[in-house]
Amino acid sequence: MNQERYLVVVSGPSGAGKDTVVRRLRQEHPEIEFSVSATTRAMRPGEQDGVDYHYMSPAEFERRIASGEILEYTRYCGNYYGTPKSEVDRRIAAGRTVVLVIEVEGAANIKRIYPGATTVFIRPPSIEELEHRLRSRGTETEDGIRRRLARAAEELRLAGGYDAQVVNDTVEGCAQELYEAICARQA
């Protein structure tokens, strides 16, 4: 489908800075829209429902899966994460570039459903920097950090399957590289 070129999937390990880079991209290019994902994880300080995620209970999330309202989903570190179908379809039907920030399993599902979508993997500068970023959040237990680092190693091995890879060593530079990847695929 030709409209699929308007769909951009951004993935990377927890702590790679995906959300920060996409926020910067949208500051520089407000015509690019962001799809708000749904999750069952607890809200972090400073986050807002409907802005950062659509927060819901596991029962509500499962109801939406059953009714076909969730395009893709996965369980990650004990919580559901997914993409409301309506968030994507209305934007690409209107010819708007829409960015999904989702983990690697979800990205693979989206690519199967929308083969023309652009997939971009955001890499941390190093594993050491990734660990530093996770610890700096102050939101994870030691066990949670270890699980996220183990998961990051798995995700980094899958990065080669993406249409493009960018390293988040500076937010500005990474956002520019992401924009260039989007433009190249939509040309």
Side-chain angles (χ1 to χ4, degrees), residues 2-184:
N2 196 29
Q3 291 176 317
E4 291 175 2
R5 74 179 189 271
Y6 296 114
L7 179 57
V8 179
V9 178
V10 175
S11 298
S14 178
K18 303 175 295 291
D19 293 318
T20 303
V21 168
V22 169
R23 272 194 296 276
R24 178 59 179 227
L25 170 74
R26 292 198 58 241
Q27 287 172 350
E28 298 295 321
H29 303 281
E31 72 280 7
I32 295 174
E33 298 184 10
F34 178 71
S35 175
V36 180
S37 296
T39 187
T40 59
R41 81 157 169 77
M43 220 182 303
R44 293 181 181 142
E47 292 181 335
Q48 296 178 350
D49 187 35
V51 175
D52 298 288
Y53 284 97
H54 295 288
Y55 296 94
M56 58 188 69
S57 70
E60 174 66 10
F61 199 100
E62 290 168 356
R63 184 197 67 74
R64 291 185 185 208
I65 291 169
S67 67
E69 296 174 56
I70 302 291
L71 181 61
E72 60 76 33
Y73 69 94
T74 191
R75 284 186 63 94
Y76 182 77
C77 295
N79 294 298
Y80 281 116
Y81 291 83
T83 303
K85 190 172 184 346
S86 61
E87 288 274 334
V88 173
D89 288 344
R90 70 180 162 86
R91 287 178 171 95
I92 63 174
R96 294 186 185 116
T97 299
V98 59
V99 176
L100 304 179
V101 178
I102 56 180
E103 52 72 52
V104 295
E105 289 175 18
N109 291 338
I110 293 290
K111 195 67 169 178
R112 278 192 289 278
I113 297 165
Y114 300 100
T118 300
T119 56
V120 181
F121 192 90
I122 296 182
R123 303 178 70 93
S126 67
I127 292 296
E128 294 78 19
E129 176 61 20
L130 182 66
E131 182 175 356
H132 171 74
R133 290 175 183 178
L134 290 171
R135 290 186 185 286
S136 295
R137 283 181 178 172
T139 60
E140 302 291 328
T141 64
E142 186 61 31
D143 183 56
I145 291 170
R146 280 195 301 271
R147 284 186 293 139
R148 288 186 185 273
L149 288 171
R151 177 72 180 186
E154 294 171 24
E155 292 169 334
L156 287 163
R157 285 192 287 277
L158 299 173
Y162 282 69
D163 297 315
Q165 295 182 51
V166 294
V167 175
N168 184 12
D169 46 7
T170 69
V171 173
E172 296 79 15
C174 190
Q176 181 59 36
E177 287 184 53
L178 175 57
Y179 182 69
E180 290 168 7
I182 291 168
C183 291

